[in-house]
Amino acid sequence: MSESIRQGLFRGAAWTLAMRWVLRLIGLVSVIILARLLTPADLGLVAMATLVTAFTANFSQLGAQQLLIRRRDINRDTINAAWTIHVIQGFFVSAVVLLAAPWAARYFGDPRVAPILYVLALVPLVRGFRSIGPVLARREFDFSPDFLTQVIGSLAVFCITVALVLWLRDYWAIVYGSVLGAMVAVAASYRLHPYRATPSIRHLGPYLRFAASIVPLRIARFGNTRGGVLVAGGIASPAQFGLFNLAFVLADLLGKEMVDPLSRGLYPGYSRLGSDRARLAGVFAEVLNACAALLLPAGVGLALVASDFVTVVLGQQWQGSVPFIRWLALAGALGGINYLMSMHILIAAGHEAR
């Protein structure tokens, strides 16, 4: 392995680990504060709505940024085409969420889901316009713009949401905080990188062919990780679903959310090694071993202290989530290992269609 690629891999791992710890700390503090200030029914209601937006986003994630990083030769047209696809994707997701809102309200058995979705539909629309600059920086192993964009966006969501919760004292604080936080993140992405994309429909073909392979992979991944949550939302009350979803979020912090940024950071290096399968396999084996050694003890540990954790950190109103936490913590650790083996490494190796 060339020294530049090795250094790029280490830089990517270091940046994304730092980013993950910062983002997860923000996320954990946010969960704790919201759990203290809101009821399980409030959080469950918002979680029902966000399930719809998450599913729609996965269905339409065309992978333009990933292909842009993997491609050997790029020019302004190919860069602008990737940005254009992202904008179109944002409009599409927003439109589908708006159309699905009444149906979602009937499925979840609560009419309040629809107006929440009408507002949350703004989030993918806004995010669709974020700068392609941080992606170009990642391609050259410069992860600071991506790091700062995500951290600034998460901090904005956290600060705005907490301020609104203290003022409104209901679930609308989370909804408004998500929209305003997305706006801040998009603004930060342009402030942190000088590249300015323009709409372009040239060179869309490779991106669309890549999307035909990547979209089924994302849908399958969503069904594997969130399918059970979607079913639970349809049969549980908002309060019951709030308890279940909190356990799922905590488990996700120990699983997919832990390894996803690491995998993203390693992806540019994986892509450079895509043609050398032996070296790619060696690097991936080292990453897999390290992650398994971290995730499995964390999952077992949370399962063992679930009752004490809920009592001390979240409060007595969340005691009903303890049985869920015990099982989902173990599932989250195993799911994180599975995610590491089934997403970025397959795309970097050119096996996204398999």
Side-chain angles (χ1 to χ4, degrees):
M1 184 190 310
S2 69
E3 189 62 26
S4 63
I5 296 178
R6 181 182 294 274
Q7 291 177 355
L9 283 167
F10 286 135
R11 281 200 304 272
W15 271 107
T16 50
L17 280 176
M19 179 175 67
R20 180 49 56 193
W21 282 110
V22 172
L23 295 179
R24 286 309 95 206
L25 179 61
I26 295 171
L28 182 59
V29 172
S30 178
V31 167
I32 293 172
I33 292 176
L34 294 178
R36 287 286 185 176
L37 296 176
L38 299 177
T39 66
D42 286 333
L43 295 184
L45 195 61
V46 176
M48 289 174 174
T50 54
L51 266 178
V52 178
T53 59
F55 175 77
T56 307
N58 272 270
F59 181 77
S60 59
Q61 283 285 342
L62 305 181
Q65 296 182 2
Q66 291 169 308
L67 182 58
L68 184 63
I69 292 175
R70 195 178 76 178
R71 295 181 69 159
R72 293 292 181 265
D73 299 318
I74 63 173
N75 54 42
R76 188 167 181 85
D77 285 335
T78 56
I79 297 170
N80 290 343
W83 180 81
T84 301
I85 285 178
H86 209 261
V87 173
I88 295 172
Q89 177 181 300
F91 275 100
F92 176 79
V93 174
S94 180
V96 172
V97 170
L98 289 174
L99 292 173
W103 172 85
R106 290 194 295 271
Y107 175 76
F108 291 117
D110 196 311
R112 294 174 295 175
V113 172
I116 294 175
L117 284 172
Y118 293 144
V119 179
L120 286 180
L122 291 171
V123 175
L125 181 64
V126 171
R127 287 178 178 170
F129 284 93
R130 65 179 177 264
S131 172
I132 200 73
V135 180
L136 297 176
R138 282 175 57 206
R139 193 175 187 275
E140 302 303 323
F141 300 109
D142 178 8
F143 296 88
S144 57
D146 186 51
F147 173 88
L148 292 172
T149 297
Q150 295 210 39
V151 169
I152 290 171
S154 294
L155 280 174
V157 171
F158 169 74
C159 294
I160 295 171
T161 300
V162 171
L164 290 174
V165 165
L166 293 173
W167 178 33
L168 300 175
R169 293 288 179 168
D170 69 8
Y171 57 85
W172 280 107
I174 304 175
V175 179
Y176 297 144
S178 298
V179 176
L180 295 174
M183 294 178 179
V184 172
V186 170
S189 71
Y190 285 96
R191 183 68 179 84
L192 293 167
H193 197 279
Y195 190 88
R196 298 294 181 263
T198 56
S200 174
I201 59 174
R202 300 181 63 183
H203 303 289
L204 291 181
Y207 290 106
L208 296 178
R209 287 191 293 272
F210 182 74
S213 298
I214 199 68
V215 168
L217 177 62
R218 290 189 179 279
I219 294 175
R221 179 64 197 173
F222 182 90
N224 183 42
T225 59
R226 305 293 292 274
V229 182
L230 187 62
V231 172
I235 61 177
S237 68
Q240 293 169 332
F241 186 65
L243 296 171
F244 175 82
N245 190 69
L246 178 72
F248 180 84
V249 169
L250 291 174
D252 216 31
L253 292 177
L254 296 177
K256 170 185 171 292
E257 290 299 313
M258 183 72 74
V259 302
D260 179 51
L262 175 62
S263 190
R264 287 178 72 247
L266 293 172
Y267 178 69
Y270 285 160
S271 297
R272 298 289 177 91
L273 295 173
S275 59
D276 191 335
R277 300 303 170 82
R279 287 191 292 177
L280 179 61
V283 170
F284 176 69
E286 294 178 10
V287 173
L288 183 61
N289 289 337
C291 287
L294 174 66
L295 294 178
L296 291 176
V300 173
L302 179 59
L304 292 175
V305 302
S307 181
D308 292 335
F309 175 83
V310 170
T311 300
V312 175
V313 178
L314 302 178
Q316 287 296 328
Q317 65 174 335
W318 294 95
Q319 275 296 319
S321 65
V322 171
F324 299 129
I325 293 175
R326 285 174 175 159
W327 288 105
L328 290 177
L330 300 175
L334 296 173
I337 296 172
N338 179 56
Y339 181 86
L340 195 68
M341 295 188 295
S342 62
M343 285 300 294
H344 292 93
I345 184 64
L346 293 180
I347 299 170
H351 293 322
E352 61 273 359
R354 298 187 179 182

